[in-house]
Amino acid sequence: MPPETRQTQQTLSDAWSSRPKRRRLNPNSETSAGSGNRSHSTTEKDQAETSPASKKRRSNPPTTPSSSSTNSIHKSQTTTPINASETRDELNTKTSQTPTSIPNPNPPHLKVTHLHTSLFASPPTTLLCHATNAHGTWGAGIAATFKTTYPSAFAIYKSHCASHSHDPSLLLGTALLIPPQTTSRSATERNARHWIGCLFTSVGKGRQKGSKESILEATGDAVRDLLGQVAELEGEEGIGEVRMCKINSGLFGVPWEATREVLEGVEVAEGQVGEVVVCSL
Ligand SMILES: Nc1ncnc2c1ncn2[C@@H]1O[C@H](COP(=O)(O)OP(=O)(O)OC[C@H]2O[C@H](OP(=O)(O)O)[C@H](O)[C@@H]2O)[C@@H](O)[C@H]1O
């Protein structure tokens, strides 16, 4: 395989705003989809592979407070009034003891890097993300390859969509996190040990696909949902890198640069994975 080359793109964008958080998804197993509240699945009696999570990939937001912040939480944490009788030394001591837990007014955003390789060439424990519709079909594009490569994961996705068939639009802007299916009938799927991240960026497909604006808005929400789910998992089940293809840029018809801008506008909370690697051929 030719050496992989990365190109970091660190343009930050604050242009994207979050919609109200959607409710947490149901579990995703083939046998229990739609019946509970866990945000990730197990299926076929599988449990996810447990490799150590790579903490170094996690974002460490700076904690330096800013006096110019308009953040309401920040503003509520007023400093203790200083008694006129306090000495300069005492004042200095107070200053050095300023709490460092003040919310960061400038949280980091998702870092988007690029890798020239097939998404499917990713090492075990990688989380592979792609854009999906809410009707339970991975019929074309990269989704079709996901379907043939990861048949057990597809069954979970299909079941998850079926459990929302009364109102598929509930899935818009959410994510489905599917653990590696180590007892899959497919040796390829068993050996790959890939996590799959389904980003519901459009309810429909083909002529029924969402507008560009709707897809982009749902992309931001779905990625935030996914990062939250991944953060909940850490410590239990290991996820390596988070990777994706150039989502939305094929059948969904959204220019990649527009999606990339949305990704780079996603704020990363402390403890969340702070980087996504975009794979393209
Ligand atoms: N091995 C590989 N490694 C890395 N990148 C690869 C690759 N193979 C292809 N790509 C690229 O992956 C991008 C996405 O392009 P796609 O058209 O697939 O996806 P999309 O996100 O626009 O659309 C989603 C809807 O497509 C399906 O629809 P159906 O249900 O089948 O009707 C779904 O289910 C959704 O509904 C394009 O840049 C491809 O070059």
Side-chain angles (χ1 to χ4, degrees):
M1 180 186 300
E4 295 176 335
T5 55
R6 288 172 187 255
Q7 180 186 0
T8 303
Q9 300 190 13
Q10 293 178 301
T11 306
L12 300 182
S13 169
D14 293 311
W16 203 253
S17 60
S18 173
R19 293 188 306 179
K21 188 69 177 170
R22 289 176 180 271
R23 66 181 174 76
R24 184 63 65 190
L25 293 179
N26 289 330
N28 315 317
S29 79
E30 289 180 71
T31 54
S32 61
S35 62
N37 295 312
R38 282 284 283 160
S39 57
H40 69 96
S41 72
T42 55
T43 187
E44 296 177 346
K45 300 174 186 174
D46 287 352
Q47 295 298 324
E49 294 291 323
T50 56
S51 69
S54 178
K55 298 293 182 186
K56 64 186 176 187
R57 292 189 187 87
R58 289 166 157 258
S59 169
N60 273 321
T63 55
T64 308
S66 165
S67 59
S68 63
S69 170
T70 56
N71 184 305
S72 60
I73 298 174
H74 183 120
K75 284 163 67 177
S76 71
Q77 296 183 343
T78 53
T79 55
T80 306
I82 298 173
N83 188 314
S85 65
E86 288 176 320
T87 65
R88 182 173 297 278
D89 284 347
E90 287 172 325
L91 290 175
N92 287 339
T93 300
K94 275 187 177 290
T95 302
S96 67
Q97 290 176 342
T98 300
T100 56
S101 59
I102 294 173
N104 180 9
N106 298 304
H109 292 70
L110 193 60
K111 182 176 166 185
V112 178
T113 60
H114 282 87
L115 197 57
H116 294 287
T117 185
S118 169
L119 186 61
F120 304 110
S122 301
T125 75
T126 304
L127 168 57
L128 313 185
C129 305
H130 68 131
T132 56
N133 62 68
H135 291 296
T137 59
W138 288 350
I142 196 169
T145 307
F146 268 97
K147 183 178 179 179
T148 54
T149 308
Y150 310 99
S152 291
F154 173 71
I156 293 169
Y157 156 77
K158 187 177 178 182
S159 175
H160 184 68
C161 291
S163 71
H164 292 80
S165 59
H166 61 289
D167 187 359
S169 69
L170 289 174
L171 293 177
L172 186 64
T174 67
L176 175 64
L177 181 59
I178 304 173
Q181 300 301 298
T182 53
T183 60
S184 169
R185 61 181 163 80
S186 161
T188 304
E189 182 171 29
R190 287 196 306 272
N191 297 332
R193 293 193 289 131
H194 288 148
W195 292 72
I196 309 292
C198 305
L199 303 170
F200 291 96
T201 64
S202 170
V203 176
K205 58 173 185 165
R207 291 184 179 178
Q208 304 300 317
K209 70 180 171 64
S211 66
K212 172 187 171 186
E213 292 72 24
S214 169
I215 289 173
L216 290 173
E217 182 174 7
T219 296
D221 288 342
V223 169
R224 278 183 281 273
D225 187 24
L226 186 72
L227 294 182
Q229 292 185 41
V230 171
E232 288 175 13
L233 288 178
E234 297 289 359
E236 302 175 39
E237 301 139 298
I239 287 183
E241 272 185 334
V242 177
R243 296 187 178 189
M244 65 171 59
C245 59
K246 290 183 176 178
I247 58 170
N248 306 326
S249 67
L251 294 167
F252 278 167
V254 177
W256 166 244
E257 288 307 307
T259 293
R260 184 173 61 83
E261 190 174 336
V262 168
L263 295 173
E264 291 176 336
V266 170
E267 290 183 2
V268 177
E270 188 166 7
Q272 289 187 341
V273 172
E275 177 181 355
V276 61
V277 179
V278 177
C279 296
S280 60
L281 298 171

